[in-house]
Amino acid sequence: MGVHLYVSGSSLRSQDGVGVGSSVAAAVAVGALCAAGIYGAFLGLAADSDSRSLVEAAQNILAGRYIPSRSFGNPLYEGLVAGTLATGAGLVAVNLLSLMGSLIAVGAAAVLARMIGATPIGVSAVIVAVALHPLMLTNSSALMETEASLALALAFCCLSLHAGLARDPSRSALVATAVIGVALVLTRIDAAILVVSMGTALAYHGWRTGSLRLLVMQLALLVLIGVVSISIYSVLNGGLSFLSADVLQTEPWGRRLVRAVLGVGNALQLVGIFAVLIFLMDLYGKTSAVPIGVRRTNIVRDVFGHALLFAIVLFAVRFALLPDELEYLLIPLVLGLVWLMSAVNSHLVVGIILALSIMQNVASIFLFDRSPSGELVFRPALAAGGLWQDMSLRRNVLTIESEGFRRWLAAEAGLPDQIVELQTHGPGFISKSGALVISRLNLYQIDNPRLMQPRYRSAFYDQIRACDRELFPGTGWRVLQRPAVERASQAYLSGDHLTCELVTRQ
């Protein structure tokens, strides 16, 4: 006798109550998210250098000028950080904003799941899958726009479906949709993909059903959100030149596509792969996977499915062009989990999702490692999960940013009576005299033709000194690469010494 994984019309009446197991699993997931967010809030900046750039952008805003944190900027989030710091609140308060965004995102995901036909069991499955994803847990306390953009994205989906499919949408619903859409794009510019996808899906539904009102309304909303957003970016960036910014660099297309494919698999994690598998099994078995509820619920799921399809295609192209961070996939990933998990109709499956979520946070699979010469080699292994790695890395960042460590590192590198500064985006630490202190494992970055910025050119520095321990450990699980074992921060804390040498220029 098989387990009914998905909702069917015949099971509506028997499965419409929340089981104790599913509700407990959802509560555990939300509790774990809160615990991770509160603990991480006291660990300072995120390990990503973009976190430091955001603080610098916020400080510039408080000084009366706007300098984007990176690329085109994230003006709404940069302004939020500036406003929070202006009140006298420190980094802990700013980090807690990310936890608030995470909780709003989980709540909005649950609302969206219910809108597209999930039973309470399906809603629990969505909450568990979303809240316990490593990208959610690690970003729940990170000073980054990631969680804010995700919360806005899910809210935009809910509002768009509500206003777009209502027989007579209120003016306030339409205004709220437009405002959230603009806020989403101003928080993360590539989230415009979701705005376009949702508007296109609703416009297509209007065209298919002969609803000229819906078609015109969606096109008008798209134009309004686009014009307002581009105008604000244009004013802040001094024109439209930001649209032609070169972000692709010179990485070969073959390597880029391989990274993108591996990145998608890594972003899915165990729960995402499980969700896709049971969905395919359901299709293969020709069992019913129709959503439950009244007819309007069927329409909502249908429209959302089209929007999700458009978004996945566009986000996939975006990630293939620049597969640098898994966070670029978080919005389509969470929307995909909502669509897949909302059809779950089994307490057993919710339990499996919880177990897999715990497993994917306890251990991570690594495919690559750096050889002593800095070459990337294929060496599969298991290590601590992403959450533990990120928290360890952030504790390490607190150490290496301290004045004591930076003076110690300068002395160890043969630069007595100096202090080095951690580069916001760069290969290592730099002194006021122009000397670069770098790990031997990262020497491959210097004069690398794939890294075009001046800070990766040896001619940019007066001298380069390489040390035998990792100065700034990489992102580990995010790039399927084993994290560094021997860190300079450990030598500093234990009173050991580094072996550093002057690098001869080629």
Side-chain angles (χ1 to χ4, degrees):
M1 182 175 179
V3 176
H4 294 286
L5 302 178
Y6 284 111
V7 173
S8 63
S10 62
S11 65
L12 170 59
R13 186 169 300 174
S14 63
Q15 294 287 357
D16 199 37
V18 179
V20 174
S22 295
S23 60
V24 169
V28 168
V30 174
L33 180 63
C34 290
I38 293 172
Y39 174 75
F42 293 90
L43 295 181
L45 297 175
D48 194 320
S49 295
D50 289 340
S51 182
R52 192 176 296 103
S53 298
L54 283 165
V55 172
E56 293 171 356
Q59 293 170 338
N60 284 323
I61 291 174
L62 295 177
R65 58 183 179 273
Y66 180 72
I67 301 176
S69 56
R70 60 202 189 277
S71 298
F72 327 114
N74 310 93
L76 187 61
Y77 185 74
E78 293 160 350
L80 178 63
V81 174
T84 304
L85 295 178
T87 65
L91 291 181
V92 173
V94 180
N95 288 339
L96 287 175
L97 290 177
S98 291
L99 176 58
M100 184 183 301
S102 299
L103 294 174
I104 293 174
V106 172
V111 172
L112 179 59
R114 195 62 174 164
M115 289 179 68
I116 63 176
T119 65
I121 296 175
V123 171
S124 294
V126 168
I127 291 174
V128 173
V130 173
L132 292 183
H133 192 281
L135 286 175
M136 287 291 292
L137 292 173
T138 55
N139 281 286
S140 64
S141 63
L143 198 159
M144 296 288 290
E145 77 283 353
T146 307
E147 296 302 288
S149 62
L150 179 61
L152 288 169
L154 288 162
F156 178 76
C157 289
C158 293
L159 287 170
S160 294
L161 292 170
H162 172 71
L165 298 178
R167 290 185 178 180
D168 186 20
S170 65
R171 183 176 301 177
S172 60
L174 294 174
V175 171
T177 302
V179 169
I180 295 299
V182 171
L184 173 60
V185 178
L186 293 180
T187 300
R188 190 174 185 95
I189 194 170
D190 61 356
I193 291 174
L194 177 62
V195 175
V196 171
S197 300
M198 186 60 67
T200 301
L202 285 165
Y204 172 69
H205 177 72
W207 173 78
R208 189 177 60 175
T209 58
S211 175
L212 180 62
R213 178 195 62 81
L214 177 57
L215 177 62
V216 173
M217 181 179 69
Q218 289 305 314
L219 293 178
L221 275 174
L222 281 177
V223 171
L224 177 62
I225 293 172
V227 169
V228 173
S229 301
I230 292 178
S231 298
I232 293 175
Y233 273 107
S234 177
V235 170
L236 293 176
N237 287 277
L240 296 176
S241 59
F242 71 93
L243 293 175
S244 62
D246 179 18
V247 296
L248 299 183
Q249 303 303 329
T250 59
E251 184 177 15
W253 282 104
R255 176 187 172 92
R256 195 177 304 178
L257 290 175
V258 170
R259 288 177 58 206
V261 171
L262 291 175
V264 170
N266 194 17
L268 284 173
Q269 293 283 308
L270 293 176
V271 167
I273 295 172
F274 173 72
V276 172
L277 286 177
I278 61 174
F279 174 71
L280 293 177
M281 288 169 56
D282 184 73
L283 289 181
Y284 180 77
K286 298 181 180 180
T287 58
S288 177
V290 298
I292 65 168
V294 297
R295 178 174 173 75
R296 182 174 180 275
T297 301
N298 290 330
I299 295 175
V300 174
R301 186 173 179 87
D302 180 56
V303 173
F304 177 67
H306 284 108
L308 178 60
L309 179 61
F310 298 152
I312 287 176
V313 172
L314 294 176
F315 272 108
V317 173
R318 183 258 186 271
F319 192 65
L321 292 175
L322 193 66
D324 287 353
E325 297 183 16
L326 293 185
E327 279 76 5
Y328 297 161
L329 296 171
L330 186 57
I331 289 177
L333 171 67
V334 170
L335 294 179
L337 287 175
V338 170
W339 192 81
L340 291 169
M341 296 300 180
S342 63
V344 167
N345 195 38
S346 164
H347 299 303
L348 173 61
V349 174
V350 176
I352 294 174
I353 294 169
L354 177 62
L356 291 175
S357 297
I358 294 173
M359 290 172 59
Q360 69 189 15
N361 283 290
V362 170
S364 296
I365 298 175
F366 297 95
L367 299 180
F368 307 103
D369 197 2
R370 287 283 174 191
S371 67
S373 62
E375 295 181 354
L376 193 64
V377 295
F378 182 71
R379 190 176 296 160
L382 284 176
L387 177 62
W388 314 115
Q389 287 187 47
D390 273 38
M391 294 304 179
S392 174
L393 184 55
R394 289 177 65 179
R395 290 192 295 269
N396 181 73
V397 171
L398 286 175
T399 299
I400 66 177
E401 288 189 329
S402 68
E403 181 178 344
F405 175 86
R406 292 183 288 113
R407 288 190 181 278
W408 171 84
L409 179 60
E412 292 291 310
L415 304 170
D417 302 323
Q418 294 193 50
I419 184 170
V420 292
E421 300 288 341
L422 176 63
Q423 294 174 298
T424 298
H425 293 283
F429 291 75
I430 188 171
S431 70
K432 290 183 178 180
S433 62
L436 173 68
V437 182
I438 189 174
S439 169
R440 288 176 187 166
L441 291 177
N442 291 332
L443 278 175
Y444 74 94
Q445 298 178 2
I446 304 302
D447 295 324
N448 189 320
R450 292 189 292 105
L451 304 173
M452 300 299 294
Q453 297 90 342
R455 58 181 173 272
Y456 293 104
R457 308 269 75 80
S458 59
F460 187 75
Y461 304 101
D462 177 66
Q463 59 177 300
I464 299 176
R465 293 183 175 269
C467 300
D468 61 340
R469 295 207 185 186
E470 186 67 87
L471 302 182
F472 189 85
T475 50
W477 71 279
R478 296 170 187 269
V479 292
L480 298 172
Q481 184 176 326
R482 184 195 299 270
V485 176
E486 296 184 342
R487 300 179 179 179
S489 59
Q490 295 171 331
Y492 167 71
L493 295 173
S494 63
D496 293 338
H497 294 282
L498 304 181
T499 300
C500 304
E501 59 187 9
L502 181 66
V503 176
T504 303
R505 299 179 188 273
Q506 297 293 330

